[in-house]
CSV table of all heavy atoms in Angstrom, one decimal:
chain,number,residue,atom,x,y,z
A,148,ALA,N,73.8,-50.6,1.1
A,148,ALA,CA,73.1,-49.3,1.0
A,148,ALA,C,71.9,-49.3,1.9
A,148,ALA,O,71.7,-48.3,2.7
A,148,ALA,CB,72.7,-49.0,-0.4
A,149,ARG,N,71.1,-50.3,1.9
A,149,ARG,CA,69.9,-50.4,2.7
A,149,ARG,C,70.3,-50.2,4.2
A,149,ARG,O,69.7,-49.5,5.0
A,149,ARG,CB,69.2,-51.7,2.5
A,149,ARG,CG,67.9,-51.8,3.3
A,149,ARG,CD,67.4,-53.2,3.3
A,149,ARG,NE,68.2,-54.1,4.1
A,149,ARG,CZ,68.7,-55.3,3.8
A,149,ARG,NH1,68.4,-55.8,2.6
A,149,ARG,NH2,69.4,-56.0,4.6
A,150,ARG,N,71.3,-51.0,4.6
A,150,ARG,CA,71.7,-51.0,6.0
A,150,ARG,C,72.2,-49.6,6.5
A,150,ARG,O,72.0,-49.1,7.6
A,150,ARG,CB,72.8,-52.1,6.3
A,150,ARG,CG,72.2,-53.4,6.3
A,150,ARG,CD,73.2,-54.5,6.5
A,150,ARG,NE,72.6,-55.8,6.6
A,150,ARG,CZ,73.2,-56.8,7.0
A,150,ARG,NH1,74.4,-56.8,7.5
A,150,ARG,NH2,72.5,-58.0,7.0
A,151,LEU,N,73.0,-49.0,5.6
A,151,LEU,CA,73.6,-47.7,6.0
A,151,LEU,C,72.5,-46.6,6.0
A,151,LEU,O,72.6,-45.7,6.8
A,151,LEU,CB,74.7,-47.3,5.0
A,151,LEU,CG,76.0,-48.2,5.2
A,151,LEU,CD1,77.0,-47.8,4.2
A,151,LEU,CD2,76.5,-48.0,6.6
A,152,VAL,N,71.5,-46.7,5.1
A,152,VAL,CA,70.4,-45.7,5.2
A,152,VAL,C,69.7,-45.9,6.6
A,152,VAL,O,69.4,-44.9,7.2
A,152,VAL,CB,69.4,-45.9,4.0
A,152,VAL,CG1,68.0,-45.3,4.3
A,152,VAL,CG2,70.0,-45.4,2.7
A,153,SER,N,69.4,-47.1,7.0
A,153,SER,CA,68.7,-47.3,8.2
A,153,SER,C,69.5,-46.8,9.4
A,153,SER,O,69.0,-46.1,10.3
A,153,SER,CB,68.3,-48.8,8.4
A,153,SER,OG,67.6,-49.0,9.6
A,154,LEU,N,70.8,-47.1,9.4
A,154,LEU,CA,71.7,-46.6,10.4
A,154,LEU,C,71.8,-45.1,10.5
A,154,LEU,O,71.7,-44.5,11.6
A,154,LEU,CB,73.1,-47.2,10.2
A,154,LEU,CG,74.2,-46.7,11.1
A,154,LEU,CD1,74.0,-47.2,12.5
A,154,LEU,CD2,75.6,-47.1,10.6
A,155,ARG,N,71.9,-44.5,9.3
A,155,ARG,CA,72.0,-43.0,9.3
A,155,ARG,C,70.7,-42.4,9.8
A,155,ARG,O,70.8,-41.4,10.6
A,155,ARG,CB,72.3,-42.5,7.9
A,155,ARG,CG,72.6,-41.1,7.8
A,155,ARG,CD,73.9,-40.7,8.5
A,155,ARG,NE,74.9,-41.6,8.2
A,155,ARG,CZ,76.2,-41.4,8.2
A,155,ARG,NH1,76.6,-40.2,8.5
A,155,ARG,NH2,77.1,-42.2,7.9
A,156,LEU,N,69.6,-42.9,9.4
A,156,LEU,CA,68.3,-42.4,9.9
A,156,LEU,C,68.2,-42.5,11.4
A,156,LEU,O,67.7,-41.6,12.1
A,156,LEU,CB,67.1,-43.0,9.2
A,156,LEU,CG,66.9,-42.7,7.8
A,156,LEU,CD1,65.9,-43.6,7.1
A,156,LEU,CD2,66.5,-41.2,7.6
A,157,ASP,N,68.6,-43.6,12.0
A,157,ASP,CA,68.7,-43.8,13.4
A,157,ASP,C,69.5,-42.8,14.1
A,157,ASP,O,69.2,-42.2,15.1
A,157,ASP,CB,69.1,-45.3,13.7
A,157,ASP,CG,69.1,-45.6,15.2
A,157,ASP,OD1,67.9,-45.6,15.8
A,157,ASP,OD2,70.1,-45.7,15.8
A,158,GLU,N,70.7,-42.5,13.5
A,158,GLU,CA,71.6,-41.5,14.0
A,158,GLU,C,71.0,-40.1,14.0
A,158,GLU,O,71.3,-39.3,14.8
A,158,GLU,CB,72.9,-41.5,13.3
A,158,GLU,CG,73.8,-42.8,13.5
A,158,GLU,CD,75.0,-42.8,12.6
A,158,GLU,OE1,75.1,-42.0,11.7
A,158,GLU,OE2,75.8,-43.7,12.9
A,159,TRP,N,70.1,-39.9,13.0
A,159,TRP,CA,69.4,-38.6,12.9
A,159,TRP,C,68.2,-38.5,13.8
A,159,TRP,O,67.5,-37.5,13.8
A,159,TRP,CB,69.0,-38.4,11.4
A,159,TRP,CG,70.1,-38.2,10.5
A,159,TRP,CD1,71.4,-38.0,10.7
A,159,TRP,CD2,70.0,-38.1,9.1
A,159,TRP,NE1,72.2,-37.9,9.6
A,159,TRP,CE2,71.3,-37.9,8.5
A,159,TRP,CE3,68.9,-38.2,8.2
A,159,TRP,CZ2,71.5,-37.7,7.2
A,159,TRP,CZ3,69.2,-38.0,6.8
A,159,TRP,CH2,70.5,-37.8,6.3
A,160,GLY,N,67.9,-39.5,14.6
A,160,GLY,CA,66.8,-39.5,15.5
A,160,GLY,C,65.6,-40.2,15.1
A,160,GLY,O,64.5,-40.0,15.7
A,161,HIS,N,65.7,-41.0,14.1
A,161,HIS,CA,64.5,-41.8,13.6
A,161,HIS,C,64.8,-43.2,13.8
A,161,HIS,O,65.5,-43.9,13.0
A,161,HIS,CB,64.3,-41.5,12.1
A,161,HIS,CG,64.1,-40.0,11.8
A,161,HIS,ND1,62.9,-39.4,12.2
A,161,HIS,CD2,64.9,-39.1,11.3
A,161,HIS,CE1,63.1,-38.1,11.9
A,161,HIS,NE2,64.2,-37.9,11.3
A,162,PRO,N,64.3,-43.8,14.9
A,162,PRO,CA,64.7,-45.2,15.4
A,162,PRO,C,64.4,-46.2,14.3
A,162,PRO,O,63.5,-46.1,13.5
A,162,PRO,CB,63.9,-45.4,16.6
A,162,PRO,CG,62.9,-44.3,16.7
A,162,PRO,CD,63.3,-43.2,15.8
A,163,TYR,N,65.2,-47.3,14.4
A,163,TYR,CA,65.1,-48.4,13.5
A,163,TYR,C,63.6,-48.9,13.3
A,163,TYR,O,63.2,-49.2,12.2
A,163,TYR,CB,66.0,-49.6,13.9
A,163,TYR,CG,67.4,-49.3,13.8
A,163,TYR,CD1,68.2,-49.2,15.0
A,163,TYR,CD2,68.1,-49.2,12.6
A,163,TYR,CE1,69.6,-49.0,14.9
A,163,TYR,CE2,69.4,-49.0,12.5
A,163,TYR,CZ,70.2,-48.9,13.7
A,163,TYR,OH,71.5,-48.6,13.6
A,164,ASP,N,62.9,-49.0,14.4
A,164,ASP,CA,61.6,-49.5,14.4
A,164,ASP,C,60.5,-48.4,14.2
A,164,ASP,O,59.3,-48.7,14.2
A,164,ASP,CB,61.2,-50.3,15.6
A,164,ASP,CG,61.3,-49.4,16.9
A,164,ASP,OD1,61.8,-48.3,16.8
A,164,ASP,OD2,60.9,-50.0,18.0
A,165,GLY,N,60.9,-47.2,13.9
A,165,GLY,CA,60.0,-46.1,13.6
A,165,GLY,C,59.5,-46.2,12.1
A,165,GLY,O,60.2,-46.7,11.2
A,166,ARG,N,58.3,-45.7,11.9
A,166,ARG,CA,57.7,-45.7,10.6
A,166,ARG,C,58.5,-45.0,9.5
A,166,ARG,O,58.6,-45.5,8.4
A,166,ARG,CB,56.3,-45.2,10.6
A,166,ARG,CG,55.4,-46.2,11.3
A,166,ARG,CD,53.9,-45.7,11.3
A,166,ARG,NE,53.1,-46.6,12.1
A,166,ARG,CZ,52.1,-46.1,12.8
A,166,ARG,NH1,51.7,-44.9,12.7
A,166,ARG,NH2,51.4,-47.0,13.5
A,167,LEU,N,59.1,-43.8,9.9
A,167,LEU,CA,59.8,-43.1,8.9
A,167,LEU,C,61.1,-43.9,8.5
A,167,LEU,O,61.4,-44.0,7.3
A,167,LEU,CB,60.2,-41.7,9.4
A,167,LEU,CG,60.9,-40.9,8.3
A,167,LEU,CD1,60.3,-39.5,8.2
A,167,LEU,CD2,62.4,-40.7,8.6
A,168,ASN,N,61.8,-44.4,9.4
A,168,ASN,CA,63.0,-45.2,9.1
A,168,ASN,C,62.6,-46.4,8.3
A,168,ASN,O,63.3,-46.7,7.3
A,168,ASN,CB,63.7,-45.7,10.4
A,168,ASN,CG,65.0,-46.3,10.2
A,168,ASN,OD1,65.2,-47.1,9.4
A,168,ASN,ND2,66.0,-45.9,11.0
A,169,GLU,N,61.6,-47.1,8.7
A,169,GLU,CA,61.1,-48.3,7.9
A,169,GLU,C,60.7,-48.0,6.5
A,169,GLU,O,61.1,-48.6,5.5
A,169,GLU,CB,60.0,-49.0,8.6
A,169,GLU,CG,60.5,-49.7,9.9
A,169,GLU,CD,59.4,-50.3,10.7
A,169,GLU,OE1,58.2,-50.1,10.4
A,169,GLU,OE2,59.7,-51.1,11.6
A,170,ALA,N,60.0,-46.9,6.3
A,170,ALA,CA,59.5,-46.5,5.0
A,170,ALA,C,60.7,-46.1,4.1
A,170,ALA,O,60.8,-46.5,2.9
A,170,ALA,CB,58.5,-45.4,5.0
A,171,VAL,N,61.6,-45.2,4.6
A,171,VAL,CA,62.7,-44.7,3.8
A,171,VAL,C,63.7,-45.8,3.5
A,171,VAL,O,64.2,-45.9,2.4
A,171,VAL,CB,63.4,-43.5,4.5
A,171,VAL,CG1,64.6,-43.1,3.7
A,171,VAL,CG2,62.4,-42.3,4.6
A,172,THR,N,63.9,-46.7,4.5
A,172,THR,CA,64.8,-47.8,4.2
A,172,THR,C,64.3,-48.8,3.2
A,172,THR,O,65.0,-49.2,2.3
A,172,THR,CB,65.1,-48.6,5.6
A,172,THR,OG1,65.7,-47.7,6.5
A,172,THR,CG2,66.0,-49.8,5.4
A,173,LEU,N,63.0,-49.0,3.2
A,173,LEU,CA,62.4,-49.9,2.2
A,173,LEU,C,62.5,-49.3,0.8
A,173,LEU,O,62.8,-49.9,-0.2
A,173,LEU,CB,60.9,-50.3,2.5
A,173,LEU,CG,60.2,-51.2,1.5
A,173,LEU,CD1,61.0,-52.5,1.3
A,173,LEU,CD2,58.8,-51.5,2.0
A,174,ILE,N,62.2,-48.0,0.7
A,174,ILE,CA,62.3,-47.3,-0.6
A,174,ILE,C,63.8,-47.3,-1.1
A,174,ILE,O,64.0,-47.6,-2.2
A,174,ILE,CB,61.9,-45.8,-0.4
A,174,ILE,CG1,60.4,-45.7,-0.2
A,174,ILE,CG2,62.3,-45.0,-1.6
A,174,ILE,CD1,59.8,-44.4,0.2
A,175,ALA,N,64.7,-47.1,-0.2
A,175,ALA,CA,66.1,-47.1,-0.6
A,175,ALA,C,66.5,-48.5,-1.1
A,175,ALA,O,67.2,-48.7,-2.1
A,175,ALA,CB,67.0,-46.7,0.6
A,176,ALA,N,66.0,-49.5,-0.4
A,176,ALA,CA,66.3,-50.9,-0.8
A,176,ALA,C,65.8,-51.2,-2.2
A,176,ALA,O,66.4,-51.8,-3.0
A,176,ALA,CB,65.7,-51.9,0.2
A,177,GLU,N,64.5,-50.8,-2.4
A,177,GLU,CA,63.9,-51.0,-3.8
A,177,GLU,C,64.7,-50.3,-4.8
A,177,GLU,O,65.0,-50.8,-5.9
A,177,GLU,CB,62.5,-50.6,-3.7
A,177,GLU,CG,61.6,-51.5,-2.9
A,177,GLU,CD,61.6,-53.0,-3.3
A,177,GLU,OE1,61.8,-53.3,-4.5
A,177,GLU,OE2,61.3,-53.8,-2.5
A,178,LEU,N,65.0,-49.0,-4.6
A,178,LEU,CA,65.7,-48.2,-5.6
A,178,LEU,C,67.1,-48.8,-5.9
A,178,LEU,O,67.6,-48.8,-7.0
A,178,LEU,CB,65.8,-46.8,-5.2
A,178,LEU,CG,64.4,-46.0,-5.1
A,178,LEU,CD1,64.6,-44.6,-4.8
A,178,LEU,CD2,63.6,-46.2,-6.4
């Protein structure tokens, strides 16, 4: 789930190393 969230955000234009991608991916991982 965590990996697919990060991948999807990258596909939406939010790069893997961007703050939005990192924040949302961490939140998804915790949930």
